[in-house]
Amino acid sequence: MLLTGISDMDKRSLMYSLTLLCLRTSYTSASAILPSTIHSTNGQVMLKPESSCPEVPIFGGCGQRYDPWNLETYADGNGTLHTYHRTSSWGNQPESTDQVRGFSYGFKGTGLQVYGAPYQEVERLGLVPGKQELCILGSCQEINTQELYDALDESERDAPILLWSYGNLPDRADHRLEVRLLDASSGQEPRSIMTIHHMVVKESPPRLPPSYKTHEEEDIVQTTYHDTNPWISYSPSTACQPVLFGCNRYNPWAKEVVAFPSGHNQSFHHTSTLEDDAYGANNRSISFTFQGVALYVYGASKAQVDRLGGDKDIELAHQSICIENSCEVIDAHQAYLNIDPEHVHEPVLLWSYEGYPSTSLRHAELRLLDNHSPVGHVRHMTLDRFVVSEVKKRSSWAHPIAGAQYYNTKVNPISTSIRYGPRQDRADSDPLHPYSPWDVQFYSAPGGRQRLFMHTSTDHGPEPQLRTWNFTFTGYSMRVYGAPQPYLIHATHVKQEICLDSKCYPVDVEHAYMTVDPDFEREPVLLWSMEDIDVSRSHVLTMRVAE
């Protein structure tokens, strides 16, 4: 970085510091206002410019481009980590539209307060606060931050300082704050520093739906959808890296599997801005359709994310979550900043919302907001799982049912009660001996017992999406097992779903095989189960390829 060594500049140097904390409100009662913080690491805060180009004195051209912003981390008296961005006036062009150092932030609210970095951070850098200009509603105000810092007493020097406030803004209207650094320097001239930490926005509380209240016959259950679940889709499936004559196609999404000493495996998906994509990196997204009263989005654990960076500190991408086209920015950097060392191997909660109607299907989309960086930043987005709070109706009976006899029935895969389809999917099949894409395979189970399983693959003729099996049964519990792991160790599992009568459920076959206990790897693998099924009538169970 060209900014290295700024802290060693002459004490006459100026410092421009600014901290942004944006508080949003929500209803818990008619008068309650709950703030939320928007840091400089939030994608809604636009740091300007994205890159700078120092002038070359001899040729008047451009040398190697560099990022004029640095991300700083410091600990407060309690050991809690905080972050801010800083930039230098070296190379700043206050009158330029594309090379002025500053930031902008769009918001809705009736008031705005802007806070500067703590005095102790200014003192640590050995610089003096400089001049800044803040503009909103077409009106600009110049701030002499040095006077504000000088007025602090000793007890106030470890907390952010209020630099500027503005009130009586039109409620629920769109506003934009523009801040720029007024100081410019080159060569050995004094430099100023601009930091962004937090902002406070006062807005009328939005009318949020009430939390779902269960009825006596209902329960709330937490259902986990891992990153390998067939109902989660990653887009695009291919990207284009430009080359001299066309492009190299590649999958911008990667699945990482982490093996723990206990034998347990855990996976997550990730993408990054490392590769230059002809269509832009920020067209990448993760889609998921769910039905429930709450949604929780988890990223990979801190240990897994740190491993992606190797010997470098990893940068987390700016991203947003959209539910039915209503979007909110996720500050992933802050989510990972203060992870307790005891929980570094656990998935990290990135975002959550509670209060959805229980009867509606909703579409969630997690979007990458960053493009390929012109100055070499590689930013990562990860997904470990979605967790949905689903409403489940209780059974109208309690087990055991009086006078009922309970027993388990194992159904042989070649039983005539299981119907495999399609029975004929080739035009040249013999009508008397119809071709079936399903094969029988025998294997030796523990103890030398001979067992078998049915399987099909995309090598067995066209249209694999037509492959199904169905089974009619009566009972209150159902479990579906796949072949033992060693026989599918190199297989790529097709996305599958299972339907009980008219309601379908995803079958995460990949996760089921990935998490098999090594002590039971020669046993059939549980793929799906359901309890408390209505015993008063028969049901149809269908396994099919997920669309």
Side-chain angles (χ1 to χ4, degrees), residues 131-134 140-144 182:
K131 294 181 180 179
Q132 53 187 276
E133 182 181 69
L134 296 89
C140 298
Q141 181 179 353
E142 186 174 316
I143 306 296
N144 188 335
L182 296 178

Side-chain angles (χ1 to χ4, degrees), residues 198-213:
H198 77 264
M199 233 174 13
V200 176
V201 174
K202 296 180 178 179
E203 62 181 355
S204 297
R207 298 290 180 178
L208 299 178
S211 298
Y212 185 82
K213 297 186 182 303

Side-chain angles (χ1 to χ4, degrees), residues 101-373:
R101 307 292 165 79
F103 71 91
S104 63
Y105 175 70
F107 67 99
K108 292 183 179 181
T110 61
L112 178 69
Q113 296 176 329
V114 179
Y115 285 77
Y119 180 95
Q120 62 183 12
E121 281 297 295
V122 177
E123 186 178 47
R124 180 182 66 84
L125 293 168
L127 303 174
V128 178
K131 294 181 180 179
Q132 53 187 276
E133 182 181 69
L134 296 89
C135 300
I136 193 169
L137 294 180
S139 176
C140 298
Q141 181 179 353
E142 186 174 316
I143 306 296
N144 188 335
T145 56
Q146 183 175 357
E147 293 181 355
L148 298 174
Y149 278 95
D150 290 343
L152 293 174
D153 59 38
E154 192 70 28
S155 63
E156 299 173 315
R157 294 187 173 184
D158 60 351
I161 176 177
L162 178 62
L163 299 178
W164 178 85
S165 64
Y166 199 100
N168 298 320
L169 293 169
D171 190 18
R172 302 192 186 281
D174 291 322
H175 308 295
R176 178 160 292 276
L177 172 70
E178 297 281 350
V179 182
R180 67 188 179 107
L181 178 61
L182 296 178
D183 304 308
S185 61
S186 60
Q188 297 300 314
E189 296 179 23
R191 302 180 184 183
S192 63
I193 297 291
M194 178 182 189
T195 69
I196 306 173
H197 194 296
H198 77 264
M199 233 174 13
V200 176
V201 174
K202 296 180 178 179
E203 62 181 355
S204 297
R207 298 290 180 178
L208 299 178
S211 298
Y212 185 82
K213 297 186 182 303
T214 58
H215 302 291
E216 290 185 0
E217 69 278 8
E218 294 178 334
D219 290 312
I220 300 293
V221 296
Q222 305 295 330
T223 303
T224 298
Y225 297 84
H226 295 277
D227 63 302
T228 51
N229 194 285
W231 282 7
I232 299 174
S233 60
Y234 300 87
S235 179
S237 58
T238 62
C240 174
Q241 183 180 18
V243 292
L244 184 60
F245 299 104
C247 68
N248 288 330
R249 289 284 177 182
Y250 68 99
N251 188 343
W253 294 94
K255 184 189 74 174
E256 300 287 341
V257 178
V258 180
F260 292 91
S262 62
H264 170 69
N265 293 329
Q266 184 174 326
S267 69
F268 66 96
H269 273 69
H270 72 95
T271 189
S272 75
T273 58
L274 176 62
E275 299 289 350
D276 192 4
D277 187 352
Y279 303 110
N282 65 357
N283 70 333
R284 298 174 193 174
S285 62
I286 303 170
S287 297
F288 175 60
T289 300
F290 69 98
Q291 182 174 343
V293 297
L295 176 66
Y296 306 86
V297 182
Y298 288 84
S301 71
K302 188 177 188 305
Q304 293 165 343
V305 167
D306 289 344
R307 192 177 294 111
L308 288 177
D311 58 354
K312 298 181 180 179
D313 290 337
I314 192 172
E315 293 187 60
L316 293 160
H318 298 113
Q319 49 196 285
S320 66
I321 180 75
C322 300
I323 309 294
E324 302 299 332
N325 297 318
S326 177
C327 300
E328 183 177 337
V329 171
I330 296 174
D331 194 339
H333 187 93
Q334 297 299 320
Y336 283 86
L337 186 61
N338 285 290
I339 299 295
D340 191 297
E342 296 182 358
H343 303 294
V344 295
H345 294 289
E346 299 175 7
V348 174
L349 179 63
L350 300 177
W351 180 88
S352 65
Y353 185 85
E354 300 175 356
Y356 294 119
S358 64
T359 57
S360 301
L361 278 174
R362 296 185 176 273
H363 178 73
E365 187 174 38
L366 194 62
R367 298 174 180 173
L368 174 66
L369 301 180
D370 295 308
N371 278 310
H372 178 72
S373 170

Side-chain angles (χ1 to χ4, degrees), residues 353-467:
Y353 185 85
E354 300 175 356
Y356 294 119
S358 64
T359 57
S360 301
L361 278 174
R362 296 185 176 273
H363 178 73
E365 187 174 38
L366 194 62
R367 298 174 180 173
L368 174 66
L369 301 180
D370 295 308
N371 278 310
H372 178 72
S373 170
V375 291
H377 290 293
V378 180
R379 299 185 171 102
H380 296 259
M381 181 170 79
T382 71
L383 176 71
D384 184 277
R385 67 191 62 181
F386 292 102
V387 176
V388 181
S389 297
E390 299 175 342
V391 178
K392 181 180 179 181
K393 293 187 179 297
R394 295 176 186 171
S395 302
S396 58
W397 58 84
H399 294 287
I401 300 175
Q405 294 182 349
Y406 287 80
Y407 55 91
N408 293 327
T409 300
K410 291 183 180 180
V411 182
N412 193 308
I414 60 174
S415 169
T416 56
S417 61
I418 301 178
R419 293 173 294 277
Y420 294 92
R423 293 298 299 170
Q424 184 174 348
D425 62 357
R426 293 198 316 200
D428 59 350
S429 294
D430 183 352
L432 298 179
H433 302 87
Y435 166 79
S436 173
W438 292 87
D439 287 337
V440 179
Q441 181 166 335
F442 291 88
Y443 68 95
S444 295
R449 294 169 296 168
Q450 288 293 305
R451 288 184 176 177
L452 60 87
F453 62 88
M454 298 288 288
H455 72 96
T456 186
S457 73
T458 54
D459 295 333
H460 289 62
E463 299 181 323
Q465 69 274 14
L466 299 179
R467 314 293 166 77

